[in-house]
Amino acid sequence: RGVDGNRAGGGVDIEVRVYFISKEFYFLIVAWCVPCLVSLDTLQELSRKEKLTCKSIGITKRNLNNYEVEYLCDYKVVKDMEYYLVKWKGWPDSTNTWEPLQNLKCPLLLQQFFNDKRNYLSQVQKGKAITLKENHSSLQPAIAEYIVRKAKQRIALQRWQDELNRRKNHKGMIFVENTVDLEGPPLDFYYINEYRPAPGISLVNEATFGCSCTDCFFEKCCPAEAGVLLAYNKNQQIKIPPGTPIYECNSRCQCGPDCPNRIVQKGTQYSLCIFRTSNGCGWGVKTLVKIKRMTFVMEYVGEVITSEEAERRGQLYDNKGITYLFDLDYESDEFTVDAARYGNVSHFVNHSCDPNLQVFNVFIDNLDTRLPRIALFSTRTIHAGEELTFDYQMKGSGDISSDSVDHSPAKKRVRTVCRCGAVTCRGYLN
């Protein structure tokens, strides 16, 4: 496993068993689990190659010699008969075989094969006045290589998608899509659902008091105790202006889970898609369903670090042209959220100078005003298929002006060019 139990390559835990033998006894002690970073498929391939069974990785006597098409690698025509080079699922590449088309019962994989071939040819021909000659008896090596890489990428992204959905704790599903290039899942990203404190930082997630309301809309609830208004209307839309904190009911409150003042804590309700952008902005996030205006979309989570550490990391990130630091400056400037390595879907949300998401500070179980939770709400109706964005300079106070950014010599950094394309674009992310 990777850090926090994340499987770095879809690996499995290998149990180490230590045997002790004496004159009178033979006994077994399960000592520990050794982290295995090899993917499940690789372990299955090794097992089949050595003709070994292992129930832990799904290889039994019954399926040891099963053959299932994983993807198609190449194509040729011999004596007017079409053949495809088949990669068998759970078997090493050395066992790939050429199979006649009539033996293949995988119409979806065949369609993907031709789609990938067509996409490659269209990319090569784009911008060229001439048309490439296509050999109908075999594939050019470059085309076959692209098709294999695309098939492997598709499998890797599907595994990553499955992993994200196993780890998320909210209703909305997460999908992954890349129709732009051959980029696979990020290698050093770990999905988390809540803040992860850096060493030396303590997050007290236990409220000291709670309400005893029977109807939090009409009684003196948690927001009133904090001196602010209830944040939501009866349609679960936010009704307070940016810069006003949200105080939701907490674990000590006597109201139930259906309380109208429990919105952010329920997590993302919408199905979202992490997708590869075509404008050079890397990964982005789009909604797969219509999102009503002024509704909660997602929370921004990551590693909570000190402002001093954030300054150090910020220099490194700016040199790489990446931005994942969010200052928790509701009342003070002691802590920052760093979503570069640990985060949720919000890690992939791109910047826009004209965003459709607005930042709000939220307090639920942790009432420490130095450590608000960061919630992103829609500023308008967002239609299915539309990319989600927020302003990276946006503060919980609602301030999004570039004047809020400190460019004094002590904090001078490499500036990252903005590619949002908005009419109001400021030109830089930082």
Side-chain angles (χ1 to χ4, degrees):
R1 292 182 186 267
V3 179
D4 284 354
N6 286 268
R7 298 174 185 268
V12 296
D13 288 337
I14 304 299
E15 195 174 73
V16 175
R17 297 174 179 265
V18 182
Y19 294 87
F20 294 87
I21 303 176
S22 67
K23 294 181 179 179
E24 293 86 11
F25 301 102
Y26 173 86
F27 58 94
L28 163 67
I29 297 178
V30 178
W32 62 82
C33 287
V34 176
C36 179
L37 302 184
V38 178
S39 70
L40 181 62
D41 283 354
T42 300
L43 290 174
Q44 290 177 340
E45 291 172 4
L46 291 172
S47 292
R48 285 198 166 102
K49 184 178 180 180
E50 300 299 328
K51 301 188 182 304
L52 300 173
T53 61
C54 178
K55 291 183 179 179
S56 297
I57 60 174
I59 302 298
T60 63
K61 289 182 179 180
R62 179 173 294 183
N63 67 17
L64 178 62
N65 294 311
N66 282 5
Y67 287 87
E68 176 186 350
V69 179
E70 186 170 29
Y71 55 85
L72 304 174
C73 308
D74 206 346
Y75 168 85
K76 66 181 179 181
V77 177
V78 179
K79 296 181 180 179
D80 296 328
M81 183 173 287
E82 295 180 279
Y83 289 86
Y84 289 85
L85 183 60
V86 175
K87 166 65 173 69
W88 301 103
K89 187 174 182 180
W91 291 86
D93 290 342
S94 59
T95 62
N96 292 359
T97 57
W98 287 95
E99 300 293 332
L101 175 60
Q102 62 192 32
N103 289 359
L104 299 178
K105 311 298 179 184
C106 50
L108 292 179
L109 293 179
L110 284 165
Q111 186 62 50
Q112 284 180 348
F113 182 90
F114 283 107
N115 288 345
D116 291 341
K117 173 187 173 185
R118 184 171 59 251
N119 289 339
Y120 176 82
L121 292 174
S122 66
Q123 290 175 21
V124 172
Q125 293 174 1
K126 189 177 296 183
K128 292 185 178 181
I130 60 172
T131 301
L132 295 179
K133 292 184 179 181
E134 188 175 344
N135 188 346
H136 294 284
S137 62
S138 63
L139 289 184
Q140 297 176 13
I143 300 177
E145 179 185 357
Y146 173 84
I147 289 173
V148 170
R149 290 180 65 188
K150 196 66 184 174
K152 290 181 177 180
Q153 178 206 50
R154 193 175 290 115
I155 292 169
L157 292 179
Q158 182 62 52
R159 287 180 188 152
W160 185 40
Q161 176 180 298
D162 294 342
E163 181 72 12
L164 294 176
N165 283 291
R166 280 195 297 269
R167 297 202 169 278
K168 57 103 175 163
N169 63 358
H170 51 75
K171 177 182 177 182
M173 295 295 292
I174 303 172
F175 296 86
V176 179
E177 172 188 291
N178 185 352
T179 60
V180 174
D181 55 30
L182 292 168
E183 186 73 16
L187 298 177
D188 194 27
F189 173 74
Y190 304 96
Y191 194 94
I192 58 176
N193 293 294
E194 58 188 16
Y195 284 163
R196 172 192 169 94
I201 296 177
S202 176
L203 298 181
V204 181
N205 289 316
E206 184 176 350
T208 54
F209 64 89
C211 73
S212 56
C213 305
T214 55
D215 190 334
C216 292
F217 262 127
F218 299 104
E219 299 178 47
K220 189 176 182 180
C221 192
C222 299
E225 292 290 346
V228 297
L229 296 174
L230 182 72
Y232 312 113
N233 63 24
K234 289 191 175 181
N235 294 321
Q236 300 184 347
Q237 294 169 298
I238 195 160
K239 63 180 184 179
I240 59 175
T244 306
I246 299 172
Y247 279 83
E248 290 197 356
C249 291
N250 56 59
S251 57
R252 285 188 175 270
C253 294
Q254 295 182 21
C255 54
D258 296 327
C259 168
N261 194 34
R262 297 180 185 272
I263 302 296
V264 173
Q265 59 195 265
K266 291 183 179 179
T268 300
Q269 302 296 299
Y270 302 104
S271 290
L272 306 176
C273 179
I274 300 170
F275 75 105
R276 196 72 177 168
T277 63
S278 58
N279 61 354
C281 291
W283 295 103
V285 178
K286 61 184 176 181
T287 177
L288 299 179
V289 294
K290 180 180 177 181
I291 297 177
K292 294 189 300 181
R293 63 184 297 271
M294 311 306 285
T295 56
F296 172 66
V297 179
M298 70 180 76
E299 194 171 349
Y300 193 88
V301 302
E303 184 183 11
V304 178
I305 59 176
T306 64
S307 296
E308 293 76 17
E309 175 63 13
E311 182 66 26
R312 187 189 70 80
R313 295 187 187 185
Q315 298 282 352
L316 299 175
Y317 295 162
D318 287 344
N319 289 332
K320 295 179 181 179
I322 59 176
T323 305
Y324 293 106
L325 300 175
F326 199 110
D327 293 334
L328 299 180
D329 55 0
Y330 170 64
E331 274 200 355
S332 63
D333 194 15
E334 294 183 46
F335 302 106
T336 295
V337 176
D338 181 4
R341 194 178 186 200
Y342 301 96
N344 60 3
V345 177
S346 64
H347 166 98
F348 302 96
V349 176
N350 280 317
H351 161 86
S352 175
C353 297
D354 183 22
N356 50 25
L357 299 178
Q358 171 71 47
V359 172
F360 282 85
N361 291 303
V362 185
F363 299 95
I364 307 176
D365 280 318
N366 189 341
L367 301 178
D368 187 342
T369 55
R370 300 173 305 164
L371 294 162
R373 290 165 67 164
I374 303 301
L376 300 173
F377 286 77
S378 58
T379 59
R380 57 173 174 79
T381 299
I382 306 174
H383 299 285
E386 190 173 349
E387 183 174 4
L388 302 176
T389 58
F390 73 94
D391 192 324
Y392 285 4
Q393 292 184 12
M394 189 181 294
K395 308 294 182 181
S397 62
D399 181 10
I400 60 172
S401 70
S402 57
D403 294 334
S404 65
V405 182
D406 185 355
H407 294 304
S408 62
K411 293 189 175 183
K412 189 174 182 180
R413 293 176 175 168
V414 177
R415 302 195 70 185
T416 304
V417 175
C418 178
R419 299 179 182 177
C420 73
V423 175
T424 56
C425 181
R426 297 187 298 269
Y428 296 93
L429 298 186
N430 53 351

